């Protein structure tokens, strides 16, 4: 009798667990269809087969994703830095290239990234973008990176619940949800790209197959305005990206030395540059030497390094303008083409000279001047909208 | 293999259970035991197969000594016993303590002997102690079972293999042979599932959350303010309890599914109002081992007072050293030794403290001593202790006037105060809830004993197991795997 009761309990328990798991299983199907439950290794393969954009809303681990990208492409040139270097694109170069921007959110992470990267592949050239705030003595340089463990295919409760959260907060509509769940839809109204990951499916915002970033919704004028005007506001945010500082951080300088030593030990040539901020942000930094005095010292320090170094902190040095900025501290690919051309003009013997598609980027930079993004010939049919004056600076985008 | 992994929950455990009971149903009891032994070795070798020969060698050696002891005459048996114990301790010394020994020799002599850097084989402290207990029992003529397969199963039975509980020969062998234990028992299966999922929940939901603050504070933060240091120490005390008792619950639960009841290891230790009581409630099977095989053979309580004190110190020195090859562990063990002696002297004064005050003192001491247990070295320990005494500041006094104006401001202030350990507004709430759970809530053994199969409990168990399994992703190791 007692055993019967336990047998019934066991059945009941299994039924109840199954019923409780059902809504989560539906979301599992949803995130699987959206490629939010796909390993980065697989994502990279699909991207290269379908020329797809990868914009994830649930797997924030650019570090691991970029490692997989390098392992797949085996590039001769890589760009490394924060999201600020993300607009260097493979079309600019005549050798295999991967943009590892976003994998290095501080110098320590950059060091860890290179050590991991060189275990798998050694490129010939490393273009290293340094953010000035990493060198402030008030910048908190984290040394632990728990999110590196995320493989893209990890299944967590948070991940299984999140789609409902997105529905409630209207980040995705019930129609979007059902289309992905039932029809595996990966298209949107902004571009004609194949899209992997919810952010990409919704807006085509995400990484291209070379690791560079497509800001499709921003450029088309569909992104929320608030996000894009950082650096064009009245004030700069000293807690995020525009950190104040009283001096250079000794610890950061040491980490940079170690990082460069790792490159040299692996016969990888580092080319160091300081990415630009918008003219507006630049002028605000210069006008507050009591808060940003370390920036000038940082520029001097970079200039004194015994490597190829370039300082484009002031965007005007690249003959670019605020119209070619995505926001106050991210510049578009047109500005990056101008930077490369400037480097080669300044230093014709640069290591980069044999890798840059000078002719193509010279033509494209001219054709697209005043814009953020270059539409190369192969991508002509991908975009449904022209570039908008999303910063509302009165830029001519035609 | 980890209990808190999908491969264990969805493949290994069900497959081992099904095959075991199928073989028993066909009256193939020898085959079923052999299957359990192979499954256990597979479980052990999953982590690193290189150490499977080590455990096999250890089993063969101890079994041979045990059998020899049973046939030996009195004067011979003592010598055989000592040889057996020396063999076990030698193995442990080589794999666990050799680098510690070399480091100390280098320090004392200024020498440069190279460290061996041997990876500690999983569970070596546990299977060595289990087998030492067996040899002593055999010497005392208390171990009567001499079937090789039974002995093999006794040592390798996977639920207790990696981190205990430390079992006795005479409490396991009869269970392996009891006829009714060979049939699938739905009651035990349900109770086993209950224990297993309570343990899994403790580990992946509670202990792993606390681990973030404890690890950050001990291993990464350069300095800790008062709020951070207390958060770190309490996080670790609670992490250790929920991690190890969670592991034990999973071990007891998975064993119960095979109709084998392992001894309980934890009985709400943080409720203790004296150190002696703490050791009756914390890692009970280790306490039982050192009492029966170290403290009592040294003379126990039947020797002069000074000898008792020395014996207590020796016992706690061994407990400290057993946990790890480092002076911080020895320090932790000796701290408990001192506390036990102080309590003994206090007892003779016949002054009784109010229970709440006694609890506060005991918990504070235990919490403080865990700092030395957790710290990688004395510098890390001192860093936390300094913080706890407010030497590095209170944690943002300048924010105090504003912090208490609203809950939101308080949470923001907490995020600031706990900045060095990745804490936020929820951290203290989580710790307080865990503290209440560990002190006032019924423990898993109580819940298991009084469990009744009804709708409500099916819903609770369903939610508990689902939630725990969905949090499995991190699959972190259990703390006691390192000991």
């Amino acid at each position: 009798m007692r055993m019967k009761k336990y047998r019934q309990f066991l059945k009941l328990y299994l039924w109840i667990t199954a019923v409780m798991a059902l809504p989560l299983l539906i979301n599992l199907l949803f995130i699987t269809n959206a490629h939010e439950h796909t390993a980065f290794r697989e994502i990279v393969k699909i991207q290269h087969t379908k020329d797809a954009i990868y914009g994830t809303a649930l797997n924030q681990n650019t570090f691991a994703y970029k490692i997989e990208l390098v392992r797949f492409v085996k590039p001769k040139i890589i760009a490394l830095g924060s999201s600020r270097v993300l607009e260097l694109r493979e079309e600019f170069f005549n050798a295999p290239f991967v943009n590892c921007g976003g994998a290095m959110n501080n110098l320590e992470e950059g060091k860890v990234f290179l050590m991991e990267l060189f275990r798998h592949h050694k490129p010939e050239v490393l273009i290293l973008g340094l953010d000035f705030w990493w060198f402030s003595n008030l910048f908190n340089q984290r040394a632990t990176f728990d999110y590196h463990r995320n493989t893209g295919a990890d299944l967590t409760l948070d991940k299984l619940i999140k789609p409902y959260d997105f529905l409630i907060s209207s980040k995705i509509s019930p129609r979007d949800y059902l289309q992905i769940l039932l029809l595996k839809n990966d298209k949107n109204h902004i571009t004609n790209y194949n899209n992997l990951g919810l952010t990409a499916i919704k807006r085509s915002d995400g990484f291209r197959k070379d690791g560079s970033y497509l800001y499709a919704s921003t450029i088309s004028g569909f992104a929320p305005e608030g996000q894009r005007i950082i650096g064009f506001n009245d004030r700069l945010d000293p807690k995020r990206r525009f950190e104040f500082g009283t001096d250079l951080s000794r610890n950061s300088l040491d980490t940079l030395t170690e990082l460069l030593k790792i490159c040299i030990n692996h016969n990888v040539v580092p080319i160091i540059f300081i990415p630009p901020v918008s003219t507006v942000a630049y002028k605000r930094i210069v006008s507050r030497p009591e808060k940003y005095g370390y920036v000038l010292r940082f520029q001097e320090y970079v200039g004194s390094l015994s490597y190829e170094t370039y300082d484009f902190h002031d965007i005007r040095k690249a003959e670019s303008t605020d119209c070619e900025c995505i926001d106050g501290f991210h510049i578009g690919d047109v500005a990056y083409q101008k930077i490369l051309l400037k480097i080669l003009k300044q230093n014709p013997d640069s290591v980069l000279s044999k890798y840059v598609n000078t002719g193509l980027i010279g033509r494209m930079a001219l054709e697209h001047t005043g814009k953020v993004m270059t539409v190369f010939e192969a991508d002509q049919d991908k975009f449904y909208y022209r570039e908008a004056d999303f910063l509302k600076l009165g830029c001519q985008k035609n | 293999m980890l209990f808190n992994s999908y491969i264990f929950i969805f493949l290994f455990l069900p497959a081992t259970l099904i095959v075991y009971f199928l073989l028993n149903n066909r009256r193939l009891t020898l085959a079923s035991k052999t299957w359990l032994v192979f499954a256990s070795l597979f479980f052990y070798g999953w982590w690193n197969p290189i150490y499977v020969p080590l455990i096999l060698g250890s089993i063969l050696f101890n079994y041979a000594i045990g059998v020899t002891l049973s046939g030996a005459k009195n004067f011979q048996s003592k010598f055989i016993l000592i040889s057996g114990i020396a063999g076990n301790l030698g193995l442990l010394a080589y794999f666990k303590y050799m680098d510690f020994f070399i480091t100390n020799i280098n320090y004392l002599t200024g020498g440069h002997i190279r460290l061996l850097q041997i990876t500690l084989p999983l569970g070596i402290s546990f299977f060595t102690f289990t087998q030492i207990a067996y040899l002593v029992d055999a010497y005392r003529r208390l171990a009567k079972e001499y079937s090789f397969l039974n002995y093999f199963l006794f040592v390798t039975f996977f639920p207790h293999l990696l981190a205990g509980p430390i079992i006795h020969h005479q409490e396991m062998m009869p269970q392996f042979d009891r006829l009714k234990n060979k049939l699938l028992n739905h009651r035990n299966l349900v109770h086993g599932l209950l224990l297993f999922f309570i343990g899994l929940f403790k580990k992946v939901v509670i202990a792993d959350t606390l681990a973030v603050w404890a690890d950050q504070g001990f291993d990464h933060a350069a300095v800790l303010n008062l709020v951070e240091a207390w958060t770190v120490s309490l996080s670790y005390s609670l992490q250790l309890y929920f991690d190890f008792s969670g592991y034990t619950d999973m071990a007891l639960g998975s064993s119960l599914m095979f109709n084998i009841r392992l001894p309980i290891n934890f009985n709400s230790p943080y409720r203790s109002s004296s150190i002696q009581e703490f050791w009756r409630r914390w890692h009970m099977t280790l306490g039982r081992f050192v009492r029966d095989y170290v403290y009592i053979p040294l003379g126990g309580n039947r020797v002069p007072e000074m000898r008792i004190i020395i014996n207590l110190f020796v016992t706690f020195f061994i407990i400290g050293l057993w946990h790890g090859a480092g002076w911080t562990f020895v320090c932790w063990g000796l701290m408990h030794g001192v506390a036990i002696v102080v309590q003994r002297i206090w007892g003779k004064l016949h002054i009784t403290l109010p229970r709440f005050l006694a609890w506060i003192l005991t918990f504070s001491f235990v919490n403080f001593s865990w700092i030395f247990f957790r710290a990688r070295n004395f510098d890390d320990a001192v860093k936390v202790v300094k913080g706890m005494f407010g030497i590095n500041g209170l944690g943002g006094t300048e924010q105090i006037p504003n912090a208490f104006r609203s809950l939101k401001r308080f949470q923001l202030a907490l995020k600031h105060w706990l900045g060095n350990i990745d804490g936020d507004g929820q951290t203290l709430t989580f710790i307080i809830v865990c503290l209440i759970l560990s002190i006032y809530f019924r423990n898993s053994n109580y819940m298991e004993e009084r469990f009744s199969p009804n709708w409500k409990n099916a819903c609770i168990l369903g939610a508990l197991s689902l939630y725990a399994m969905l949090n499995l992703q991190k699959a972190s190791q259990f703390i006691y795997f390192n000991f």
Side-chain angles (χ1 to χ4, degrees):
Chain A
M1 186 63 191
R2 206 157 166 225
M3 280 301 148
K4 197 178 163 198
K5 228 174 146 188
Y6 274 102
R7 251 199 311 273
Q8 282 169 342
F9 175 86
L10 210 56
K11 280 184 198 159
L12 189 63
Y13 159 69
L14 291 173
W15 269 108
I16 287 171
T17 311
V19 169
M20 284 177 178
L22 192 65
L24 300 177
L25 288 174
I26 293 172
N27 270 356
L28 177 63
L29 182 63
F30 172 80
I31 61 170
T32 305
N33 286 352
H35 286 95
E36 288 285 7
H37 181 44
T38 309
F40 296 130
R41 192 167 295 181
E42 190 57 28
I43 289 286
V44 167
K45 278 187 204 158
I46 302 171
Q47 274 194 288
H48 279 81
T49 322
K50 295 172 131 186
D51 189 15
I53 301 296
Y54 178 51
T56 175
L58 301 175
N59 297 295
Q60 299 306 335
N61 185 1
T62 308
F63 185 100
Y65 164 68
K66 294 290 167 95
I67 292 280
E68 291 302 336
L69 207 52
V70 171
R71 290 180 69 176
F72 186 86
V73 178
K74 303 203 183 320
K76 286 193 174 173
I77 314 159
I78 67 164
L80 179 61
S82 66
S83 58
R84 297 176 70 209
V85 306
L86 277 170
E87 296 312 303
L88 279 160
R89 298 173 56 179
E90 62 181 343
E91 289 88 347
F92 301 176
F93 303 95
N94 55 28
F97 166 83
V98 166
N99 192 318
C100 296
M104 176 183 181
N105 293 303
N106 66 33
L107 291 157
E108 195 59 47
E109 192 172 26
K111 203 175 87 183
V112 177
F113 183 82
L114 286 181
M115 289 194 288
E116 179 64 20
L117 179 81
F118 294 156
R119 283 178 53 224
H120 305 289
H121 174 73
K122 291 184 185 84
E124 292 173 8
V125 179
L126 169 80
I127 303 174
L128 179 65
L130 298 177
D131 290 346
F132 62 84
W133 55 82
W134 292 343
F135 294 84
S136 158
N137 58 343
L138 302 182
F139 179 70
N140 178 20
Q141 180 134 249
R142 293 186 58 88
T144 52
F145 311 98
D146 283 347
Y147 63 91
H148 287 183
R149 283 187 284 183
N150 183 353
T151 64
D154 306 323
L155 200 57
T156 60
L157 184 62
D158 189 44
K159 208 166 165 179
L160 286 174
I161 289 174
K162 215 68 182 187
Y164 293 132
D165 190 20
F166 291 156
L167 274 169
I168 291 164
S169 58
S170 300
K171 284 183 178 156
I172 50 171
S173 64
R175 187 189 156 95
D176 293 334
Y177 183 83
L178 289 173
Q179 281 189 335
I180 294 170
L181 182 73
L182 304 173
L183 307 172
K184 292 189 178 183
N185 177 47
D186 69 345
K187 298 285 185 188
N188 57 50
H189 67 106
I190 297 177
T191 73
N192 187 27
Y193 273 106
N194 294 305
N195 297 292
L196 312 171
L198 284 171
T199 309
I201 294 172
K202 185 73 186 153
R203 308 197 295 255
S204 277
D205 288 341
F207 296 109
R208 298 183 185 93
K209 65 181 171 52
D210 63 353
S212 67
Y213 199 86
L214 172 63
Y215 290 92
S217 68
T218 304
I219 287 163
S220 318
F222 288 102
E225 201 173 283
Q227 302 244 323
R228 296 285 125 219
I229 55 173
I230 304 161
F232 288 95
N233 290 342
D234 290 340
R235 54 188 284 273
L236 305 175
D237 184 0
K239 294 232 163 182
R240 203 157 174 252
R241 290 167 180 139
F242 290 99
E243 269 86 352
F244 295 149
T246 52
D247 202 353
L248 287 178
S249 152
R250 190 67 251 168
N251 182 28
S252 297
L253 297 180
D254 291 344
T255 314
L256 178 64
T257 309
E258 287 167 31
L259 188 150
L260 294 169
K261 211 168 145 193
I262 293 170
C263 292
I264 301 304
N265 290 344
H266 288 86
N267 296 320
V268 177
V269 181
I271 294 176
I272 302 156
F273 80 104
I274 305 173
V277 291
S278 68
T279 321
V280 178
Y282 176 77
K283 285 179 181 167
R284 283 187 190 133
I285 290 169
V286 173
S287 68
R288 301 190 72 184
E290 77 287 1
K291 299 288 184 192
Y292 290 110
Y294 75 96
V295 180
L296 188 61
R297 264 166 270 156
F298 159 67
Q299 289 174 272
E300 286 166 359
Y301 178 81
V302 171
S304 71
L305 290 169
S306 55
Y307 302 94
E308 252 193 68
T309 63
Y310 302 95
D311 178 1
F312 290 101
H313 181 51
D314 180 356
I315 195 170
R316 291 169 299 189
K317 281 190 189 168
E319 292 168 19
S320 181
T321 64
D322 285 356
C323 287
E324 292 171 5
C325 290
I326 297 160
D327 57 29
F329 56 101
H330 290 100
I331 57 163
D333 64 36
V334 178
Y336 265 114
Q337 291 175 62
K338 291 181 176 176
I339 284 177
L340 288 175
L341 292 169
K342 196 76 188 174
I343 287 175
L344 297 182
K345 196 172 162 190
Q346 257 179 36
N347 180 11
D349 297 329
S350 165
V351 176
L352 281 177
S353 61
K354 70 170 181 174
Y355 297 105
V356 176
N357 269 330
T358 322
L360 178 72
I361 66 169
R363 209 173 63 240
M364 286 295 160
L366 200 65
E367 244 177 57
H368 290 81
T369 199
K371 290 186 181 175
V372 166
M373 189 183 74
T374 311
V375 181
F376 289 97
E377 214 167 312
D379 298 334
Q380 293 286 357
D381 62 336
K382 293 270 172 44
F383 297 92
Y384 298 143
Y385 298 92
R386 300 168 82 103
E387 186 169 321
D389 179 23
F390 55 90
L391 286 173
K392 299 194 171 56
L393 298 174
C395 304
Q396 288 297 315
K397 299 278 183 176
N398 295 321
Chain B
M1 196 180 290
L2 295 169
F3 285 160
N4 56 331
S5 63
Y6 288 120
I7 186 127
F8 178 83
I9 296 171
F10 292 112
L11 283 175
F12 179 83
L13 185 61
T16 311
L17 267 172
I18 290 167
V19 175
Y20 177 74
F21 285 115
L22 274 180
L23 289 170
N24 275 327
N25 266 353
R26 294 178 183 206
R27 295 169 196 271
L28 299 168
T29 50
L30 200 67
S32 71
K33 274 185 197 168
T34 313
W35 162 252
L36 211 46
V37 166
F38 272 108
S40 297
L41 287 176
F42 177 79
F43 173 86
Y44 186 77
W46 182 262
W47 167 68
N48 192 350
I50 205 164
Y51 288 118
V52 173
L54 179 82
I55 192 172
L56 290 177
S58 169
I59 290 170
L60 282 172
F61 171 78
N62 283 291
Y63 179 72
I65 297 277
V67 170
T68 317
L69 272 173
S70 69
K73 291 186 180 134
N74 269 351
F75 69 95
Q76 291 172 319
S77 57
K78 196 159 197 167
F79 174 74
I80 297 167
L81 175 69
I82 290 168
S83 312
I85 292 174
N88 279 299
L89 293 180
L91 185 80
L92 200 57
Y94 177 75
F95 281 99
K96 191 167 176 176
Y97 299 104
M98 194 50 104
D99 278 352
F100 176 58
F101 181 69
I102 295 173
T103 308
N104 284 301
I105 291 285
N106 283 344
Y107 180 76
L108 290 173
T109 62
H112 297 285
I113 307 169
R114 277 184 68 176
L115 299 181
L116 302 180
Q117 295 184 325
I118 304 163
T119 313
L120 184 70
L122 272 185
I124 189 167
S125 306
F126 289 93
F127 67 71
T128 305
F129 268 35
T130 299
Q131 294 187 101
I132 288 176
Y134 160 72
L135 293 185
V136 177
D137 287 352
Y139 170 76
R140 292 173 180 166
R141 305 281 192 260
L142 294 172
K144 293 190 178 85
E145 165 69 60
Y146 297 111
S147 146
F148 180 60
L149 188 61
N150 279 359
Y151 180 74
F152 214 132
L153 186 57
F154 155 67
V155 180
T156 59
F157 185 46
F158 73 87
H160 77 85
L161 181 57
L162 298 182
I166 299 168
I167 50 175
H168 268 309
H169 189 260
Q170 67 262 35
E171 70 195 355
M172 296 301 290
M173 290 308 189
Q175 294 197 69
F176 286 137
D177 275 339
R178 202 167 296 147
L179 218 55
K180 80 174 190 189
N181 283 357
K182 303 204 181 296
L183 298 171
L184 179 68
N185 181 321
H186 286 90
R187 182 188 178 278
N188 284 348
L189 191 63
V190 168
H191 283 227
L193 279 172
L194 174 76
L195 273 176
F196 185 86
F197 284 117
I198 289 176
L200 189 66
F201 187 88
K202 281 180 176 178
K203 165 67 182 163
V204 299
V205 179
I206 302 179
D208 287 353
T209 305
L210 292 161
V212 175
W213 306 312
D215 291 351
Q216 194 64 29
F218 275 103
D219 300 339
H220 304 299
V223 284
L224 297 168
N225 62 43
L226 184 92
V227 183
E228 285 168 340
W230 278 95
T231 306
V232 166
S233 71
L234 286 171
S235 292
Y236 183 67
S237 297
L238 292 165
Q239 182 206 348
L240 185 63
Y241 168 63
F242 282 107
D243 188 284
F244 193 22
S245 72
Y247 175 87
T248 307
D249 289 342
M250 281 187 261
L252 264 66
S254 40
S255 178
L256 195 55
M257 292 180 212
F258 290 88
N259 301 323
I260 304 291
R261 203 169 264 281
L262 296 178
I264 62 166
N265 225 5
F266 290 90
N267 185 16
S268 306
Y270 289 156
R271 276 184 206 166
S272 310
S273 51
S274 73
I275 295 299
Q276 208 170 23
E277 187 187 351
F278 174 78
W279 278 102
R280 280 200 298 266
R281 290 170 174 267
W282 177 274
H283 203 173
M284 293 152 76
T285 57
L286 176 69
R288 181 178 71 171
F289 179 92
V290 291
R291 185 198 62 207
D292 293 349
Y293 299 102
V294 180
Y295 184 66
I296 291 176
L298 284 173
N301 290 340
R302 285 171 299 177
V303 287
E305 192 61 25
M306 200 56 209
R307 234 348 251 293
I308 291 178
I309 290 173
I310 292 169
N311 290 349
L312 283 169
F313 272 113
V314 170
T315 306
F316 278 96
F317 174 82
I318 289 171
I319 288 180
L321 205 57
W322 178 84
H323 278 92
W327 288 110
T328 47
F329 288 109
V330 174
C331 174
W332 167 79
L334 291 178
M335 282 168 83
H336 277 265
V338 171
I340 287 275
V341 170
V342 168
Q343 191 193 331
R344 198 177 166 81
I345 296 165
W346 184 269
K348 290 193 188 303
L349 300 175
H350 301 292
I351 305 170
T352 314
L353 286 177
R355 187 165 166 82
F356 182 71
L357 186 61
W359 173 79
I360 286 272
L361 279 173
T362 308
F363 183 76
S364 305
F365 170 78
V366 170
N367 181 52
F368 185 77
S369 67
W370 286 136
I371 294 170
F372 294 86
F373 186 88
R374 168 61 178 82
R376 290 171 303 183
N377 49 51
F378 283 106
D379 289 342
D380 283 351
V382 169
K383 171 184 79 181
V384 180
V385 172
K386 271 185 175 173
M388 287 172 80
F389 283 98
I391 290 171
N392 299 318
L394 300 175
T397 35
E398 73 281 0
Q399 302 219 356
I400 287 177
N402 276 329
F404 294 99
R405 284 189 185 167
S406 69
L407 183 64
K408 202 173 171 189
R409 276 175 189 245
F410 183 66
Q411 288 189 326
L412 275 173
L414 275 179
K415 197 171 168 58
H416 177 76
W417 293 339
L418 299 173
N420 285 326
I421 58 165
D422 283 353
D424 57 24
Q426 315 300 326
T427 305
L428 291 190
T429 315
F430 192 82
I431 288 173
I432 291 166
V433 169
C434 292
L435 207 54
I436 291 169
L437 278 177
S438 65
I439 296 165
Y440 293 107
F441 258 61
R442 307 275 187 215
N443 61 39
S444 45
N445 311 312
Y446 183 93
M447 288 184 203
E448 190 262 313
E449 276 171 25
R450 282 157 186 77
F451 182 80
S452 64
N454 55 36
W455 258 95
K456 196 180 102 191
N457 282 339
C459 291
I460 292 171
L461 184 59
L464 186 82
S465 54
L466 196 62
Y467 192 75
M469 280 191 286
L470 288 168
N471 277 283
L472 269 184
Q473 196 54 51
K474 290 169 272 181
S476 60
Q477 255 200 15
F478 290 92
I479 294 174
Y480 260 70
F481 277 20
N482 299 323
F483 302 142

